[in-house]
């Protein structure tokens, strides 16, 4: 018999009826880490950078300013686990008792879907943003994997992939069961986007797994070259900036199409700073760099975001940004702006060490 839940929910929407909140359908919920106050480090940027912002991404200007301000004791919500029964996972969507939760874009457009081919129980750790962006997979979903691992039988709908993704799974000790359309007799999900002490501890556990057995030679910093990879963010003078970081600050340049996950880990794990165009390629640096290191993002004026700061907050690293002139399809950043920002970073480092 086909799964009728997709058409049932669609008919409810056509009738103007709201769907239930997915987490409200859980039969059990429990705290993994209670709410607590945590330190959020302030961001580092030049006083005039606000004037350079033409448009923001993933939040408005007030969100950007609040993130960059930091908070010595920010109240942080708990990490929660939820248990569900009788859940269909069909075409990237979880269906349960008049609710749905999307984990990836649908591939089918029909009204009726085949019945899931197997029944199982498991803990699902993937997310919509992790399925969309590599950086969120590495820095969010791979943290939630540790929770799924502890709960038993971690599962994911993400297909096996090659390249950096496959190698990170090996280095982080991840061996999930990969699923298609299935029926869950029992399913566990997590609310795990709050940077409390439990999540921060798992971040350091993943860093330790990644760097286990590696000899790290101290390095002033690395520049992770983005080029034309991923969604367009074309820093027109990126090569010039990378070269000047090498010659003036002793940085090493890494290229995501040339260097392995191990290369990235060994360099970034030994570095005091990671620099590059804002984007998922910088996740290679965040996961490996030590606490109190600094991530410096180079951003176009029409796509300013602090998405990566939410992640450096978890890894307890400093976050800095420089906003350039132009748009994501082509922008430039003057070296003088970078130098003055580097002076701010060095001043912050000197005060912290004194």
């Amino acid at each position: 018999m086909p799964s009728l839940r997709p058409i049932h929910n669609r008919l409810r929407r056509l009738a103007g009826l709201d769907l239930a909140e997915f987490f409200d359908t859980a039969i059990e919920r429990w705290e993994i880490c209670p709410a607590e106050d945590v330190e959020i480090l302030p961001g580092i940027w030049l006083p005039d950078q606000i004037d350079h912002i033409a448009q923001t991404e993933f939040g408005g200007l007030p969100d950007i300013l609040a993130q960059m301000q930091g908070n010595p004791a920010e109240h942080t919500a708990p990490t929660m686990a939820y248990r569900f029964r009788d859940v269909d996972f069909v075409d990237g969507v979880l269906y349960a008792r008049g609710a749905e939760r999307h984990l990836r874009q649908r591939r089918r457009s029909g009204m009726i879907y085949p019945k899931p081919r197997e029944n199982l129980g498991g803990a699902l750790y993937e997310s919509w943003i992790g399925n969309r962006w590599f950086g969120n997979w590495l820095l969010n979903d791979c943290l939630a994997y540790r929770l799924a691992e502890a709960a038993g039988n971690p599962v994911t709908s993400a297909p096996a992939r090659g390249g950096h993704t496959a190698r990170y799974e090996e280095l982080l000790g991840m061996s999930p069961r990969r699923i298609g359309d299935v029926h869950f007799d029992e399913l566990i999900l997590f609310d795990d986007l709050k940077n409390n002490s439990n999540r921060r501890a798992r971040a350091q556990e993943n860093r330790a797994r990644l760097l286990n057995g590696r000899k790290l030679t101290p390095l002033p910093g690395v520049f992770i070259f983005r080029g034309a990879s991923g969604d367009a963010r074309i820093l027109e003078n990126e090569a010039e900036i990378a070269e000047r970081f090498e010659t003036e600050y002793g940085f090493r340049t890494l290229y995501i199409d040339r260097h392995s996950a191990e290369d990235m880990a060994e360099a970034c794990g030994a570095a005091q700073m990671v620099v590059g165009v804002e984007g998922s390629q910088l996740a290679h640096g965040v996961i490996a760099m030590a606490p109190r290191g600094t991530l410096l993002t180079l951003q176009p004026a029409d796509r300013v975001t602090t998405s990566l700061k939410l992640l450096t907050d978890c890894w307890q690293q400093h976050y800095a940004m420089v906003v350039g002139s132009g748009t994501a399809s082509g922008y430039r950043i003057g070296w003088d702006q970078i130098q003055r920002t580097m002076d701010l970073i060095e001043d912050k480092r000197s005060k912290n060490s004194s």
Side-chain angles (χ1 to χ4, degrees):
M1 180 178 177
S3 174
L4 299 179
R5 286 174 169 175
I7 189 171
H8 176 266
N9 285 1
R10 192 174 300 185
L11 290 173
R12 283 186 62 87
R13 283 192 291 267
L14 289 174
L17 301 175
D18 293 331
L19 299 181
E21 291 293 330
F22 194 88
F23 285 106
D24 288 346
T25 69
I27 62 167
E28 182 185 2
R29 65 191 66 201
W30 63 95
E31 279 187 351
I32 294 173
C33 179
E36 58 187 359
D37 292 341
V38 298
E39 179 188 17
I40 302 297
L41 297 172
I44 303 170
W45 58 351
L46 296 168
D48 64 354
Q49 292 298 281
I50 299 172
D51 299 331
H52 293 206
I53 298 174
Q55 188 173 337
T56 61
E57 187 86 355
F58 309 123
L61 184 58
D63 301 309
I64 301 290
L65 298 179
Q67 277 291 311
M68 292 299 284
Q69 182 177 356
N71 190 331
E74 180 171 285
H75 186 70
T76 304
T79 296
M80 299 292 298
Y82 299 83
R83 190 187 310 277
F84 303 84
R85 289 211 177 110
D86 187 23
V87 178
D88 281 350
F89 181 66
V90 180
D91 196 23
V93 183
L94 292 166
Y95 295 94
R97 297 165 57 192
E100 61 187 49
R101 180 174 177 83
H102 294 243
L103 296 179
R104 56 178 69 248
Q105 190 166 357
R106 289 190 179 104
R107 296 176 181 175
R108 300 190 286 255
S109 58
M111 294 286 284
I112 299 178
Y113 295 87
K115 182 179 180 180
R117 293 188 296 273
E118 60 178 324
N119 297 349
L120 57 88
L124 194 64
Y125 62 92
E126 68 184 277
S127 65
W128 174 275
I129 59 173
N131 286 330
R132 172 64 177 84
W133 287 287
F134 166 78
N136 291 102
W137 172 79
L138 183 61
L139 301 179
N140 282 327
D141 292 2
C142 290
L143 286 188
Y145 179 88
R146 304 268 77 98
L147 300 178
E149 179 182 54
N153 193 26
V155 297
T156 180
S157 70
R161 289 172 284 184
H164 291 128
T165 300
R167 187 61 181 135
Y168 274 117
E169 285 190 333
E170 293 173 358
L171 294 170
L172 295 174
M174 298 170 61
S175 54
R177 177 173 179 175
R178 301 189 187 277
I179 60 171
D181 291 354
V182 298
H183 174 83
F184 287 102
D185 293 322
E186 183 170 282
L187 172 67
I188 296 175
L189 296 177
F190 307 98
D191 181 359
D192 184 41
L193 292 177
K194 313 303 188 299
N195 290 323
N196 51 44
S197 58
N198 180 279
R199 193 165 192 264
R200 289 178 169 188
R202 281 180 278 124
Q204 292 309 306
E205 178 186 351
N206 274 5
R207 178 176 186 264
R209 285 173 179 260
L210 191 62
L211 299 179
N212 182 40
R214 304 186 189 283
K215 184 178 180 180
L216 303 180
T217 302
L219 190 63
V222 299
F223 188 99
I224 302 181
F225 202 92
R226 182 177 177 89
S229 65
D231 296 343
R233 245 155 287 159
I234 308 301
L235 178 57
E236 294 172 346
N237 58 335
E238 185 177 12
E240 174 194 335
I241 289 171
E243 183 178 359
R244 295 196 72 165
F245 267 108
E246 289 180 5
T247 57
E248 298 189 24
Y249 293 101
F251 277 36
R252 179 184 174 191
T253 300
L254 299 174
Y255 299 86
I256 56 176
D257 58 345
R258 304 179 201 174
H259 291 98
S260 66
E262 289 93 336
D263 294 333
M264 299 277 191
E266 288 177 2
C268 298
Q272 295 180 6
M273 283 189 66
V274 172
V275 182
V277 171
E278 194 282 332
S280 278
Q281 87 285 354
L282 292 180
H284 295 287
V286 174
I287 193 173
M289 186 168 57
R292 301 291 168 168
T294 303
L295 180 75
L296 172 58
T297 63
L298 310 177
Q299 306 202 29
D302 68 337
R303 194 190 180 283
V304 175
T305 175
T306 47
S307 295
L308 276 167
K309 187 178 187 302
L310 296 172
L311 298 165
T312 58
D313 288 345
C314 181
W315 266 259
Q316 299 168 78
Q317 299 154 346
H318 292 284
Y319 179 88
M321 77 161 78
V322 178
V323 181
S325 300
T327 67
S329 60
Y331 70 106
R332 300 181 70 83
I333 293 179
W335 183 246
D336 64 314
Q337 275 188 284
I338 292 174
Q339 279 185 312
R340 288 187 289 127
T341 305
M342 290 292 287
D343 289 343
L344 285 180
I345 293 169
E346 181 56 38
D347 182 59
K348 174 78 71 174
R349 185 181 295 134
S350 298
K351 289 179 179 177
N352 288 339
S353 61
S354 62

